Amino acid sequence: MRRLLLALPFALLPLAVAQAAEVHDHEHASLGAHEHGVGRLNAVLDGQTLELELESPAMNLVGFEHAASSAEDKAKVAAVRARLEQPLTLFSLPEAARCVVSQQELESPLFGDTPHADEHDDDDHATDGKGAASKEHHPDHSEIHAHYQFTCAAPGALKTLDLANVFKTFPATRKIQVQLISPSAQQGAEVTANAAALKF
């Protein structure tokens, strides 16, 4: 059921994604590539429901991708998780929209989660034959996935999606590739700290 709202409309976005990709060279065009400094955000506004799904290399948010073993590393992971657990602040949703978090889910190997093979790996080499993730997947390239669902009493007040706070909170994030669907727009765009807002 998770990501159902996101999965259906994003099937309709190939043109917007293709247009955004034309601006960049082939290496940076893939929305699924693990690239330090680059995050991905899917956003869907449907009626009173707003869904946001943020995916980022752990390096952008925590500063490393290895399992946290030292007290300092564990503290960094805990601090990042605490920030991600405050999505109304992180995404600067306007108070006038009266949005409340109805569901949120954070996943990362750094949080002690095991990657779900059905979500990220769709080929046979996802495991080493003994059920363990192969080295070319998550161990060297840890990601953090945050999925939020909001119920907004006044969705008309959501005029823009402002990601400035994401860039301020996680300064190692240089750009975010966004796919946004709302009743009035379907767009694929790349935002930076200097141009961090998109219109719904």
Side-chain angles (χ1 to χ4, degrees):
M1 190 87 177
R2 179 177 171 250
R3 297 192 174 103
L4 180 59
L5 184 61
L6 290 171
L8 182 61
F10 286 120
L12 306 174
L13 260 185
L15 290 176
V17 172
Q19 288 172 349
E22 284 175 14
V23 179
H24 305 286
D25 60 78
H26 181 70
E27 179 185 354
H28 299 159
S30 172
L31 293 178
H34 180 100
E35 182 183 348
H36 292 175
V38 180
R40 295 168 304 283
L41 180 73
N42 296 328
V44 176
L45 178 60
D46 183 20
Q48 292 186 316
T49 302
L50 172 64
E51 286 205 45
L52 300 176
E53 184 175 49
L54 177 68
E55 298 181 358
S56 175
M59 182 67 75
N60 299 354
L61 309 185
V62 183
F64 57 85
E65 296 189 341
H66 57 269
S69 54
S70 71
E72 183 181 355
D73 285 355
K74 288 178 182 178
K76 286 179 184 176
V77 170
V80 165
R81 185 172 190 134
R83 288 183 186 118
L84 291 170
E85 289 174 343
Q86 303 297 321
L88 291 170
T89 303
L90 188 63
F91 294 104
S92 305
L93 297 179
E95 287 185 30
R98 301 198 317 272
C99 296
V100 294
V101 180
S102 52
Q103 182 181 354
Q104 79 178 23
E105 188 176 351
L106 303 176
E107 294 177 10
S108 174
L110 296 184
F111 299 152
D113 299 324
T114 324
H116 301 290
D118 60 339
E119 286 183 21
H120 303 290
D121 303 312
D122 54 6
D123 52 16
D124 293 336
H125 64 278
T127 63
D128 62 5
K130 299 175 187 170
S134 66
K135 190 164 178 69
E136 69 184 61
H137 288 276
H138 290 281
D140 291 333
H141 296 291
S142 294
E143 295 221 347
I144 295 176
H145 299 253
H147 177 254
Y148 307 100
Q149 183 173 328
F150 305 88
T151 301
C152 302
L158 293 170
K159 303 293 185 195
T160 60
L161 178 61
D162 187 352
L163 302 179
N165 228 19
V166 175
F167 289 106
K168 286 177 192 166
T169 304
F170 304 114
T173 301
R174 296 185 325 271
K175 58 187 172 184
I176 300 175
Q177 297 168 337
V178 181
Q179 293 183 74
L180 183 145
I181 294 189
S182 69
S184 61
Q186 292 186 15
Q187 58 183 306
E190 191 170 87
V191 297
T192 63
N194 294 329
L198 290 170
K199 289 184 180 177
F200 273 107

